[in-house]
Amino acid sequence: MSALISSEQQHQQCLHILRQITDRIDSELLSVRNWGLCGGVAGLILFLVEMEANYPDTLGMDKIESLIDALQSNCDLKTLPPRLDMGLLGIAWLREHLQQRFGDDDDVNADIDQLILNALSVDTWSGEYELLAGLAGFGLYASKRSGYDSGKRMIEKVVQHLQSLMVETPQGLAWPSAPTSAYHSDGNSEQVEFNLGLAHGNASVLGCLTHIYRCQPTLEHERLLRGSADWLLAQRNPADTGSYFSYNNRRVMRSRIGWCYGDIGNALVLWRAGKALEDQRIQNAAKDIAVACTTRRDFKLTSCYDAGICHGSAGNMLIFQTLHDEMQHPALLDYAQFWLQQTFDYAQKEPNLDGLRRFDGEADEYQDCPGMLEGLAGVGLCLLAAVGHDSSWKESLLLE
């Protein structure tokens, strides 16, 4: 990915923040209570590895390797839930990512694949369909392992479960949130609801299907991908709402600027789907959605209250940097730089990186968070991408 930072002053400012983040994570590692990718040790390792790869001896490879060894030996994989965010799938993804990026041809995940296949080997899927806790996360990992027989079998099972859960509509193919789903807005069993977000909704299925179609461009996978893209594009808010997408299909409202929900993540997965399908109509629509977001610079219109990847300034910076690389529209680059400056402003707002704390909306307070999805490690990964370093890690969030 091309560099976003253009001046030496910005580069030095970024490097100073990155070193502070490294020191802070190093000091807080022992207090992290889970092994997961999005909020736990695996995500911290991901940042530290990328930092060390680009700035050797920042922390020291010996220390990082000891952390990886601890993840390998101390974590009881059989007891972890099969989830991308805080369970088995995320750790498996990290191991495969590190192996593909830095390792040899050894198959490091053969045993884990069997655990994942066991979780998928049910007649009826009763879990979530989305990315962080559900089938889309399984599909993302399976696609990464598509060169192995176990990966092919995982893809087959994921597709079978997605087919059993989907609804065929005049607009295309969609996946409803069950009343029992943690991501149903009110748990009203009388109301069918379709979540539209990238973290927990139909956009995550679209991103997952794009990965699967790239690995296995079959007619059925093409049908599922095209049907999912068509349906998502059809979920447009009225023109005066302030965003193309709402949070779900039952409530018309302006969505935030963020990865988890809203226009920017959806625009990126739509663009990638259109690219995979060689469908210019889908790509043009995705570009229009992305560019329209760039006029939203009043923070009340963005609902951005912190710096994290999930719905904060660094995540927005990363996505618009990626959108510009893909779509080559100058407004996207300008908006990425707008979010870069906001990330710098957050970092300088309070001493000791306290300005980069996660905002908890329910508690209405800022909280320390070292994690990848909402905390310091994620901000650090985004800043590394802004400098122009490898950002293939963003595949874990359907951004690659």
Side-chain angles (χ1 to χ4, degrees):
M1 190 160 69
S2 60
L4 180 62
I5 288 175
S6 55
S7 71
E8 181 60 22
Q9 180 181 0
Q10 281 189 328
H11 183 265
Q12 291 303 318
Q13 189 174 6
C14 189
L15 186 55
H16 176 66
I17 296 169
L18 284 166
R19 286 173 173 156
Q20 285 184 293
I21 290 174
T22 303
D23 291 343
R24 183 78 169 265
I25 288 175
D26 183 30
S27 68
E28 295 183 3
L29 271 167
L30 295 178
S31 66
V32 177
R33 300 302 182 190
N34 74 77
W35 293 101
L37 179 65
C38 288
V41 173
L44 305 188
I45 288 174
L46 177 59
F47 165 70
L48 294 174
V49 167
E50 293 296 340
M51 186 67 182
E52 189 68 20
N54 293 293
Y55 301 99
D57 298 324
T58 303
L59 188 61
M61 203 59 218
D62 288 346
K63 188 163 190 175
I64 294 172
E65 287 177 353
S66 70
L67 289 172
I68 295 172
D69 289 342
L71 183 67
Q72 309 272 42
S73 58
N74 297 339
C75 179
D76 187 354
L77 298 174
K78 293 180 181 179
T79 65
L80 292 176
R83 298 171 57 121
L84 184 69
D85 56 354
M86 59 181 188
L88 180 64
L89 278 172
I91 292 172
W93 181 90
L94 175 66
R95 286 168 55 147
E96 185 65 21
H97 174 74
L98 295 180
Q99 180 70 13
Q100 290 183 13
R101 183 142 190 259
F102 301 107
D104 49 33
D105 294 329
D106 290 344
D107 184 359
V108 298
N109 275 350
D111 292 341
I112 291 184
D113 282 3
Q114 190 54 56
L115 294 174
I116 295 171
L117 280 165
N118 290 344
L120 287 168
S121 296
V122 293
D123 293 332
T124 303
W125 186 259
S126 58
E128 305 286 358
Y129 70 82
E130 46 80 73
L131 177 66
L132 295 185
L135 286 170
F138 281 89
L140 172 68
Y141 172 71
S143 299
K144 197 168 186 67
R145 295 280 292 169
S146 62
Y148 296 92
D149 181 65
S150 56
K152 294 179 176 66
R153 286 186 286 145
M154 281 187 273
I155 288 175
E156 181 181 2
K157 290 181 181 297
V158 167
V159 170
Q160 288 174 352
H161 290 313
L162 286 174
Q163 288 169 323
S164 70
L165 296 175
M166 74 184 182
V167 175
E168 300 197 35
T169 79
Q171 299 169 320
L173 305 176
W175 284 262
S177 298
T180 56
S181 168
Y183 311 111
H184 193 289
S185 64
D186 61 9
N188 186 343
S189 61
E190 297 179 1
Q191 294 284 346
V192 175
E193 179 174 289
F194 295 89
N195 187 304
L196 303 180
L198 182 55
H200 304 304
N202 276 263
S204 67
V205 177
L206 177 61
C208 163
L209 289 171
T210 300
H211 278 267
I212 289 174
Y213 180 69
R214 285 173 180 162
C215 299
Q216 298 180 357
T218 68
L219 289 176
E220 177 60 11
H221 293 167
E222 179 182 0
R223 182 183 80 89
L224 295 174
L225 180 58
R226 190 177 299 279
S228 177
D230 286 344
W231 183 88
L232 189 61
L233 274 175
Q235 308 312 303
R236 183 170 192 170
N237 270 329
D240 61 350
T241 307
S243 67
Y244 189 103
F245 293 103
S246 183
Y247 294 98
N248 61 63
N249 71 317
R250 289 176 51 205
R251 187 176 303 172
V252 173
M253 62 185 300
R254 182 185 65 240
S255 56
R256 71 195 318 160
I257 297 286
W259 166 79
C260 50
Y261 283 96
D263 291 0
I264 64 174
N266 290 16
L268 184 54
V269 294
L270 280 164
W271 172 271
R272 295 263 173 76
K275 193 173 181 179
L277 293 167
E278 299 182 350
D279 190 320
Q280 197 63 49
R281 172 187 61 89
I282 298 173
Q283 286 185 273
N284 289 342
K287 189 173 185 177
D288 288 344
I289 294 167
V291 172
C293 293
T294 63
T295 62
R296 294 168 65 182
R297 303 197 178 212
D298 181 338
F299 285 99
K300 293 180 181 178
L301 301 180
T302 66
S303 299
C304 176
Y305 304 112
D306 59 22
I309 290 179
C310 187
H311 42 259
S313 62
N316 293 346
M317 172 191 70
L318 175 74
I319 295 172
F320 278 98
Q321 183 184 4
T322 305
L323 287 166
H324 175 259
D325 272 8
E326 295 273 348
M327 300 176 179
Q328 291 297 302
H329 193 290
L332 300 171
L333 177 60
D334 182 65
Y335 203 43
Q337 290 168 339
F338 168 83
W339 288 111
L340 170 63
Q341 185 57 53
Q342 181 57 36
T343 304
F344 283 159
D345 290 347
Y346 278 137
Q348 295 166 351
K349 187 177 181 181
E350 298 181 44
N352 303 317
L353 297 182
D354 284 350
L356 297 181
R357 290 179 297 173
R358 167 186 176 268
F359 180 69
D360 186 324
E362 292 185 6
D364 193 27
E365 65 181 18
Y366 285 88
Q367 302 172 346
D368 289 337
C369 179
M372 188 267 276
L373 185 58
E374 296 187 81
L376 290 174
V379 175
L381 286 165
C382 292
L383 289 174
L384 285 169
V387 176
H389 297 306
D390 182 89
S391 63
S392 57
W393 59 267
K394 65 182 189 284
E395 173 199 80
S396 64
L397 300 175
L398 292 175
L399 297 176
E400 180 72 357

